[in-house]
Amino acid sequence: MVSTRLARMQESATIKAANRASEMLKQGIDVINFNLGEPDFDTPKHICDAAADAMYRGETHYTPAPGIPELREAIAEKLRVENGLETKASSVLVTPGAKQAIFSIMLSVLGDGEEAILFDPAWVSYEACIHFAGAEPVWVPTDPENGFEPYDIGEYITDKTRLIVVNSPCNPTGGVYDKKTLRSIADHAIDHDLLVLSDEIYEKIIYEKDHISIGSMDGMQDRTITVNGFSKAYAMTGWRLGYVSAAPDIFKGLLKIQSNSVSGATTFVQFGGVAALEGPQKPVYDMVKEFHVRRDILVEGLNSIGLRCHKPEGAFYVFADVSEFGDGDQVTDQLLNEAHVSVTQGSSFGNSGNNFIRLSYATSQQRIHEGLERIDDILG
């Protein structure tokens, strides 16, 4: 007995896969987990100290629904300096996680029967949130031989299209869009008077390329809704702290949803967010440097086994083609059951992922080497 709105949503495939591995771990089976999308690093101490200090001095009560002024201003300054966005603190909404921000955006800007463009493959929760809003996802194919960049975007835009979702660096592929690709997306948005949701949660975990915010491009300031957060860059997944920068009319809608649902982000956590943005950034650089090393180990190892993949340019995922060994679902089950290696089937992220698996290298070099040995024993 659930609503038709809820029935349109599916269980998160990534969490479902992680739960299967967790059940085996509870049975005493040593499972190497390449599933989870969270850094395996501790939150930097100065961030923890700032949140603890705030808690002990009594910052444990309600805040304004958009967030504490100190954090909103720090976010606005960050977006102006690092991302080239013409953002004011009054345009920033602090949310309990970036996922909550994306959920609220879909409810705020999409209506029944409208359409949202997704680049296939895409993070699993976009589709669920679009369906919950009563809209339909429209999948645009991407080129796996060219960083999973989208093509033929214009062929998929209709009079029902309302939104284009951009995720760069991308989960699950690790692809990073260059200026030419983003300019093409921007031109389509302008020509068809569309909004763009730019999910930039992995922006600091990037290797060979520079991150570009599509909202900084000519004509995109008022039509881009920029989403980011602290989970990935600062290893703060459990803190649940994200943010949105949006034009005034969209901001008002998002605030209406937040103030009538979750109220706001946890008070003392927000002071940790201020410390993250204004404090030393060395922990971020050190973490990304380690991810870079792990990426190279995993990509080289997978290709030597025959699981074809290019080096991802951002995030901490490898999207590997397993078609020589079966489809992604079959290989996922085989690796878990026979090698005790947990990965996520590519079909979770869209139809183009049917022959792929996603592996997260947010685990130690030792476990990556061990996982490669187990995969090689089964598939090599």
Side-chain angles (χ1 to χ4, degrees):
M1 296 178 64
V2 298
S3 70
T4 56
R5 180 182 296 275
L6 183 60
R8 292 194 291 260
M9 297 181 74
Q10 301 295 321
E11 180 184 0
S12 170
T14 52
I15 293 178
K16 183 178 181 180
N19 288 341
R20 290 180 61 197
S22 296
E23 287 301 316
M24 294 179 72
L25 286 168
K26 291 178 182 177
Q27 297 169 20
I29 301 172
D30 179 28
V31 177
I32 296 178
N33 195 335
F34 288 124
N35 266 318
L36 292 179
E38 67 171 335
D40 58 317
F41 297 84
D42 292 333
T43 304
K45 184 176 182 300
H46 68 279
I47 299 174
C48 296
D49 289 343
D53 290 345
M55 186 190 309
Y56 287 122
R57 70 170 178 263
E59 302 288 0
T60 56
H61 303 280
Y62 288 131
T63 70
I68 61 172
E70 298 94 323
L71 181 55
R72 297 175 73 197
E73 185 54 58
I75 292 169
E77 177 69 9
K78 182 264 181 207
L79 292 174
R80 288 191 293 265
V81 173
E82 295 185 7
N83 301 90
L85 302 180
E86 299 174 8
T87 302
K88 298 179 180 179
S90 58
S91 300
V92 172
L93 177 69
V94 179
T95 61
K99 183 182 287 189
Q100 178 67 35
I102 291 167
F103 185 81
S104 296
I105 291 166
M106 299 303 188
L107 290 179
S108 181
V109 305
L110 293 176
D112 290 341
E114 293 184 327
E115 296 174 348
I117 296 288
L118 294 178
F119 300 139
D120 191 1
W123 178 52
V124 294
S125 290
Y126 297 138
E127 181 181 23
C129 293
I130 291 167
H131 279 306
F132 193 79
E136 290 295 327
V138 175
W139 295 89
V140 172
T142 61
D143 183 3
E145 300 301 320
N146 189 30
F148 291 92
E149 293 192 356
Y151 52 89
D152 297 334
I153 300 172
E155 295 185 11
Y156 296 85
I157 295 174
T158 72
D159 57 1
K160 296 181 180 180
T161 307
R162 172 69 170 160
L163 179 72
I164 300 175
V165 179
V166 175
N167 177 212
S168 176
C170 175
N171 175 9
T173 69
V176 177
Y177 297 153
D178 58 20
K179 188 174 183 179
K180 180 180 178 181
T181 300
L182 291 173
R183 184 67 261 176
S184 174
I185 296 170
D187 288 343
H188 283 294
I190 293 168
D191 291 345
H192 297 275
D193 193 23
L194 305 176
L195 294 171
V196 170
L197 190 166
S198 182
D199 181 356
E200 305 183 15
I201 192 70
Y202 294 98
E203 64 159 346
K204 290 186 181 294
I205 305 175
I206 198 166
Y207 311 112
E208 286 80 14
K209 286 186 177 180
D210 295 325
H211 174 73
I212 302 172
S213 293
I214 192 171
S216 67
M217 294 183 161
D218 291 344
M220 293 302 295
Q221 180 69 33
D222 290 336
R223 68 177 67 251
T224 302
I225 309 167
T226 301
V227 176
N228 210 324
F230 297 81
S231 293
K232 313 302 184 180
Y234 298 100
M236 295 172 63
T237 52
W239 294 60
R240 309 315 305 137
L241 189 62
Y243 57 88
V244 184
S245 174
D249 55 337
I250 296 173
F251 175 88
K252 290 178 182 177
L254 296 174
L255 180 58
K256 186 184 297 184
I257 292 174
Q258 177 148 305
S259 60
N260 283 290
S261 56
V262 295
S263 296
T266 302
T267 304
F268 50 85
V269 163
Q270 295 186 55
F271 286 94
V274 175
L277 293 177
E278 296 183 347
Q281 301 300 302
K282 187 176 184 300
V284 180
Y285 302 142
D286 291 344
M287 180 179 69
V288 174
K289 183 178 179 180
E290 173 63 17
F291 277 144
H292 197 163
V293 174
R294 295 177 184 180
R295 179 202 68 172
D296 292 348
I297 294 171
L298 184 57
V299 169
E300 181 180 349
L302 291 173
N303 279 304
S304 70
I305 296 169
L307 280 68
R308 295 181 289 114
C309 56
H310 297 283
K311 283 186 178 180
E313 296 163 322
F316 40 75
Y317 308 105
V318 169
F319 208 55
D321 185 340
V322 297
S323 55
E324 291 187 15
F325 305 94
D327 65 35
D329 290 7
Q330 293 169 340
V331 172
T332 296
D333 288 340
Q334 184 179 11
L335 291 179
L336 183 60
N337 295 329
E338 299 180 25
H340 299 158
V341 171
S342 179
V343 302
T344 306
Q345 63 268 33
S347 60
S348 301
F349 304 96
N351 289 334
S352 71
N354 287 339
N355 290 324
F356 289 79
I357 60 173
R358 190 196 75 173
L359 300 94
S360 166
Y361 46 94
T363 190
S364 70
Q365 293 183 37
Q366 178 182 347
R367 293 295 271 177
I368 292 173
H369 281 297
E370 187 176 350
L372 288 168
E373 290 177 4
R374 294 189 189 184
I375 295 171
D376 191 25
D377 287 342
I378 300 298
L379 302 180

